[in-house]
Every structure is written in structure tokens, then in C-alpha cells.
């Protein structure tokens, strides 16, 4: 048993050589040398300070629903954020980063708030959702976040919505490596019960349009943002022009990649932007498939699509 193992035990539950396939919705990934599940924000901050001072490599894991771990083992410490405290106020909800986004969406409806029903179908943690400015049904985290407590460069800081620098699937935390500790959501109260109805419709829409019964990591690519429509040499559905974005799933379908397969990784029949694990896919299979998709989309449309998922 190493010295580090003993030190890590002060902060949470520690496992050695933990398969990352057990902690990702894709069910892919080699083993983590050290895996620490942390349940208290104070312990999380202490752990981050300790590792940073010691110069030990670390990686933050939320729900593992937007990432692809490599097949090789990870040498360093994976920190799984499992902090779960919530506080309901008159103007919204304050939630620890480890709370599930679905649980917070459900809590918001129970407390008669409106505006966060869309979170009901988004897997993973609210901290991960803030970092990636997750969104669905025309909403994004930036519409609901009032402020964020975060650990940045050894300090705990409080950032306003503006300071989070949200834009499409992006926040400042992607740039500065900050760790989201707690999220303050600003929500409106409403007496009508439309929230539940909407949430149900959102879930039904998902089950119709997303693959069911296979491990995946959600959308692999970001939708393509149209910056200069003049440069596009192909005809676009009006819907995309109005939204200012071309659906990556549409591009992948039109590039003839629906159902494309490498090893056990396959582009979903139901949704072109989902790659599904047919049982024993490796990270190498998925990466090869991602490269093939990018190449075919470029060959057909002359544009590059970028990954939304985090590749480790
Ligand atoms: C079936 C399915 C459907 C999906 N639908 C949607 C959708 O509709 N909209 C959408 O936006 N996404 C969707 N996703 C993707 C995913 O659910 C979201 O991106 C989610 O917010 C990721 O959160 P997570 O906790 O799982 O992050 P993880 O996958 O654990 O981590 C993703 C990245 O965020 C970092 N991270 C995690 N927590 C923190 C934190 N507290 N502080 C700093 N960095 C952190 C990690 O280091 C990593 O880089 C879907 C995924 C699946 C599997």
C-alpha cells in the first residue's frame, strides 16, 4: 500500500486500479491508478489543494456522461465528485456540484419553480453541466445559473453568470481548469403545473430521437455554428439557418456515416451524432470512428466538426 493511498483516505473513499468503464455511461476506459469518491465540498477543496501542492496529476469526474477515457490506465488521481447538498431559497436552488442534473430538475418542479424542466433528461452532475454549458430543448445552463462557487488556482472563488463566460457548450472552466463546487440557480416560481407536462414531453421526445438500450456518451460532436453563411457551398434546411447552427447529426447522416462501425463502436441508426457501444467497444474503436466521421463530413461539406465530449 503506498503512502499516497493512505493520504488520500482522509478525503474520501479510495480505490486502487479502478476500471473507468464502471464510471462512464460509455462503459469504456482503462483503470485509474487512484480513484477517490468525495462527498463533502470542504474535503473536495482540501483534496484539490493537497494534490496541487504535491504536483500530482488529477482528473475530475462527475457522472462520466460526456467523456471517453483511453484504453490505457490513467496514472494519477481521478476525483469523483459526489457532493450532494441542496438548499431551496425563494429565488432558486443552491446545489453541490455532485448533484445529478435530473434530481435538480425534479426538485425544481417539486418546489413549483419553472425554467429548469429541460434538465430532466440530461444525465450527469450539475457541476459537469455548468462546465460544458449543457443544454436541451432550446435552453442552456447559462439561462439558469445565477453564480458558481469554484476552486480556481488554489482559491475558492464566487463567479457571477457573466464571469462564467458561457457560450455554446463552453464556459470559463474549460479554459482555466477550475472545478465547479456549487451552483446557484435562479428560477421563477409558478403556480401552474405546466412544468411536469413539459418535462414529460421532453422525455418522450428523447426516447423517440435517441438510441435506447445501448451505452453511449450523448452527442459526440458540437453542432456546427454558422459564422459566415456565404462560405457554405451546400443547401441548408431553413431551420438551421434560423438557429445559426447545423445539426452535427444531420451532417453525419448526409455524409453517409449512419450505421458506420469500427470494431464494436457504431454510429447510431436513430441519431447520427450518437456513437453506441455494441458491447465491448474500446476507446481505440471510438477514436477511429470519430476520425472517419470528421473526414467524411469534411469531404462532403468542406467543414470541420469538433468533439463535444472530453477525451482523456
Ligand atoms: C444519453 C445521453 C444524453 C445526453 N443528452 C445531453 C443533452 O441533451 N444536452 C447536453 O448538453 N448534454 C447531454 N449529454 C451529455 C452529458 O450528459 C452532459 O454533458 C453532462 O452535463 C455531463 O456531466 P457529467 O457530470 O457526466 O460530466 P463528466 O462526463 O463526468 O465530465 C465531463 C467533463 O466535465 C468535467 N467536470 C465534471 N464535473 C466537473 C466539475 N464539478 N467541475 C469542473 N469540471 C467538471 C470533467 O473533468 C470532464 O472534462 C448526454 C449524455 C448522454 C449519455
Amino acid at each position: 500500500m503506498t503512502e499516497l493511498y493512505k493520504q488520500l483516505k482522509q478525503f474520501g473513499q479510495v480505490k486502487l486500479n479502478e476500471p473507468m468503464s464502471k464510471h462512464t455511461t460509455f462503459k469504456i476506459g482503462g483503470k485509474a491508478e487512484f480513484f477517490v469518491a468525495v462527498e463533502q465540498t470542504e474535503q473536495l477543496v482540501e483534496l484539490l489543494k493537497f494534490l496541487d501542492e504535491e504536483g500530482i496529476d488529477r482528473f475530475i469526474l462527475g457522472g462520466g456522461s460526456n467523456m471517453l477515457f483511453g484504453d490505457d490506465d490513467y496514472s494519477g488521481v481521478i476525483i469523483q465528485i459526489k457532493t450532494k447538498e441542496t438548499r431551496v431559497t425563494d429565488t432558486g436552488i443552491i446545489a453541490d456540484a455532485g448533484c445529478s442534473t435530473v434530481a435538480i430538475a425534479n426538485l425544481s418542479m417539486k418546489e413549483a419553480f419553472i425554467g429548469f424542466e429541460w434538465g430532466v433528461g440530461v444525465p450527469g452532475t450539475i457541476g459537469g453541466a455548468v462546465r460544458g454549458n449543457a443544454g436541451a430543448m432550446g435552453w442552456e445552463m447559462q439561462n439558469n445559473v445565477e453564480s458558481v462557487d469554484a476552486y480556481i488556482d488554489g482559491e475558492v472563488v464566487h463567479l457571477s453568470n457573466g464571469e462564467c463566460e458561457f457560450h455554446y457548450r463552453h464556459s470559463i472552466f474549460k479554459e482555466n481548469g477550475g472545478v465547479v463546487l456549487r451552483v446557484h440557480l435562479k428560477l421563477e416560481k409558478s403556480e401552474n403545473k405546466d412544468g411536469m407536462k413539459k418535462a414529460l414531453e421532453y422525455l418522450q421526445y428523447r426516447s423517440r430521437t435517441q438510441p435506447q438500450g445501448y451505452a453511449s456518451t450523448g452527442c459526440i460532436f458540437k453542432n456546427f455554428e454558422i459564422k459566415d453563411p456565404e462560405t457554405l457551398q451546400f443547401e441548408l434546411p431553413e431551420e438551421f439557418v434560423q438557429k445559426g447552427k447545423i445539426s452535427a447529426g444531420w451532417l453525419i447522416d448526409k455524409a453517409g456515416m449512419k450505421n458506420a462501425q469500427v470494431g464494436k463502436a457504431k454510429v447510431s441508426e436513430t441519431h447520427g451524432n450518437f456513437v453506441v457501444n455494441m458491447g465491448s467497444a474500446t476507446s481505440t474503436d471510438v477514436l477511429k470512428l470519430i476520425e472517419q466521421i470528421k473526414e467524411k463530413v469534411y469531404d462532403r461539406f468542406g467543414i470541420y466538426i469538433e468533439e463535444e465530449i472530453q477525451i482523456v
Side-chain angles (χ1 to χ4, degrees), residues 83-89 93-96 99-100 103-104 107 126 182-183:
T83 55
K84 293 239 169 1
E85 262 182 48
T86 56
R87 191 151 65 84
V88 177
T89 70
I93 298 173
I94 304 171
D96 278 353
C99 294
S100 96
I104 299 300
L107 177 63
I126 198 90
R182 202 175 285 112
V183 187

Side-chain angles (χ1 to χ4, degrees), residues 93-97 126-127 130 141 144-149 180-185:
I93 298 173
I94 304 171
D96 278 353
I126 198 90
V130 168
M141 285 308 294
N144 303 109
V145 168
E146 180 176 46
S147 59
V148 171
D149 299 326
V180 176
L181 302 173
R182 202 175 285 112
V183 187
H184 302 244
L185 297 177

Side-chain angles (χ1 to χ4, degrees), residues 59-60 62-67 81 123-125 129 131 134-135 178 180 206 218 310:
F59 184 83
I60 299 290
S65 66
N66 198 26
M67 42 191 325
I81 302 190
T125 63
R131 185 216 184 237
V180 176
R206 272 174 192 274
Q310 175 80 31

Side-chain angles (χ1 to χ4, degrees), residues 23-26 44 59-67 81 97-99 101 118 121-137 141 169 173-174 177-181 206 210-211 214-219 274 308-312:
H23 300 282
T24 54
T25 56
F26 225 163
L44 174 59
F59 184 83
I60 299 290
L61 179 75
S65 66
N66 198 26
M67 42 191 325
I81 302 190
C99 294
T101 303
W118 65 270
V122 179
T125 63
I126 198 90
V130 168
R131 185 216 184 237
N133 191 19
M137 314 308 296
M141 285 308 294
R169 297 294 178 269
F173 308 107
K174 283 197 173 181
V179 179
V180 176
L181 302 173
R206 272 174 192 274
Q210 294 182 357
Y214 290 105
S216 81
T217 197
C219 288
F274 272 62
E308 174 177 323
I309 59 166
Q310 175 80 31
I311 297 172
V312 186

Side-chain angles (χ1 to χ4, degrees), residues 162-310:
E163 287 168 326
C164 292
E165 294 183 15
F166 290 117
H167 53 91
Y168 173 57
R169 297 294 178 269
H170 185 86
S171 75
I172 188 83
F173 308 107
K174 283 197 173 181
E175 285 169 36
N176 64 14
V179 179
V180 176
L181 302 173
R182 202 175 285 112
V183 187
H184 302 244
L185 297 177
K186 190 170 159 58
L187 303 167
E188 270 175 47
K189 283 269 180 189
S190 168
E191 287 312 313
N192 79 39
K193 298 271 184 273
D194 274 4
M196 294 280 193
K197 202 170 139 232
K198 264 196 211 165
L200 193 63
E201 280 167 16
Y202 292 165
L203 288 174
Q204 284 166 343
Y205 176 78
R206 272 174 192 274
S207 56
R208 277 199 313 275
T209 56
Q210 294 182 357
Q212 305 296 312
Y214 290 105
S216 81
T217 197
C219 288
I220 296 283
F221 298 98
K222 291 184 205 169
N223 293 327
F224 181 82
E225 291 184 275
I226 307 171
K227 297 209 172 99
D228 185 0
E230 308 287 295
T231 58
L232 300 176
Q233 303 292 318
F234 52 94
E235 209 155 299
L236 271 181
E238 189 50 34
E239 176 202 352
F240 298 152
V241 179
Q242 274 168 18
K243 285 186 182 158
K245 288 193 195 82
I246 311 174
S247 146
W250 183 86
L251 291 165
I252 294 165
D253 277 4
K254 297 284 174 204
M257 288 301 281
K258 207 169 219 180
N259 286 325
Q261 187 163 349
V262 174
K264 292 286 180 188
K266 185 172 181 229
V267 178
S268 157
E269 275 173 61
T270 323
H271 192 315
N273 201 5
F274 272 62
V275 168
V276 291
N277 179 351
M278 304 293 288
S280 53
T282 62
S283 192
T284 311
D285 292 340
V286 178
L287 289 172
K288 278 188 191 154
L289 189 53
I290 286 177
E291 282 317 308
Q292 287 183 10
I293 293 170
K294 284 161 94 171
E295 193 182 321
K296 289 277 188 235
V297 168
Y298 186 79
D299 289 348
R300 168 79 173 76
F301 297 104
I303 57 180
Y304 286 110
I305 47 174
E306 278 174 28
E307 290 86 344
E308 174 177 323
I309 59 166
Q310 175 80 31

